[in-house]
Amino acid sequence: MERIAVFPGSFDPFTKGHARIVERTLKFFDKVIVAVGINESKVTDFMLEGRLKKIASMYSDNPRIEVKAYTTLTVDFVKQVGAQCIVRGIRSVKDFEYERDMADWNMRLAGIETLCLFAEPEYASISSSVLRELQSYGKDISDYLP
Ligand code: ADP
């Protein structure tokens, strides 16, 4: 059986921290699906297309990494693609509280396990929301993007 993990997130933008989680997950699974969750009503097809394309082009030469968008509940997507596990990253206690609740719901709703990887210290303060804010003030964020 192919071991498949889903790494779900908004990835707005996809950062070096996210990329490290993908790389580290490949040590344990045959395939990782980077799943871009769409639940913000303000996201246009155009924006989404750009986000997906950027991530997909980064991994286009690696058949073990797939990039897909989804609009359903995460556990339903996980089942639909035949994956066994959700992977998430934890940077701090703030992430921990949230991830623990989500993992509990994923197990309760669908019997799906969540594997959490701790962020490496050099990536632990990188967040998409901070990068979006810096960018909105005209700062160059390219050092933090893969
Ligand atoms: P969401 O909106 O689902 O939290 P994000 O795109 O912000 O989506 O994050 C997706 C996952 O990646 C989450 O589990 C988050 O904790 C994790 N993550 C985000 N940034 C980092 C980082 N710098 N290092 C490790 N994990 C991270």
Side-chain angles (χ1 to χ4, degrees), residues 7-21 24 35 37 39-40 70 87-92 95-96 98-99 116-120 122-129 132:
F7 179 35
S10 321
F11 306 124
D12 187 21
F14 190 85
T15 70
K16 279 188 176 167
H18 294 131
R20 284 296 300 147
I21 297 292
R24 292 165 65 197
N39 51 17
E40 310 129 82
Y70 73 104
V87 171
R88 297 282 288 177
I90 292 187
R91 289 160 292 186
S92 66
D95 282 346
F96 173 82
Y98 178 74
E99 297 299 343
C116 289
L117 297 178
F118 288 105
E120 294 145 309
E122 61 268 46
Y123 301 104
S125 62
I126 301 177
S127 73
S128 300
S129 54
R132 276 201 309 276

Side-chain angles (χ1 to χ4, degrees), residues 125-144:
S125 62
I126 301 177
S127 73
S128 300
S129 54
V130 168
L131 295 187
R132 276 201 309 276
E133 189 171 0
L134 289 175
Q135 199 171 34
S136 76
Y137 288 106
K139 297 293 177 197
D140 176 14
I141 59 167
S142 55
D143 277 357
Y144 309 101

Side-chain angles (χ1 to χ4, degrees), residues 96-116:
F96 173 82
E97 297 276 350
Y98 178 74
E99 297 299 343
R100 186 186 48 190
D101 285 354
M102 293 308 290
D104 183 41
W105 277 104
N106 294 333
M107 178 55 71
R108 198 183 295 208
L109 290 171
I112 298 284
E113 289 283 6
T114 303
L115 178 74
C116 289

Side-chain angles (χ1 to χ4, degrees), residues 2-6 31 33 77-86 112:
E2 200 179 26
R3 290 166 307 163
I4 305 173
V6 168
K31 195 199 259 183
I33 299 176
F77 175 79
V78 170
K79 293 213 150 169
Q80 185 203 319
V81 296
Q84 299 87 29
C85 186
I86 290 173
I112 298 284

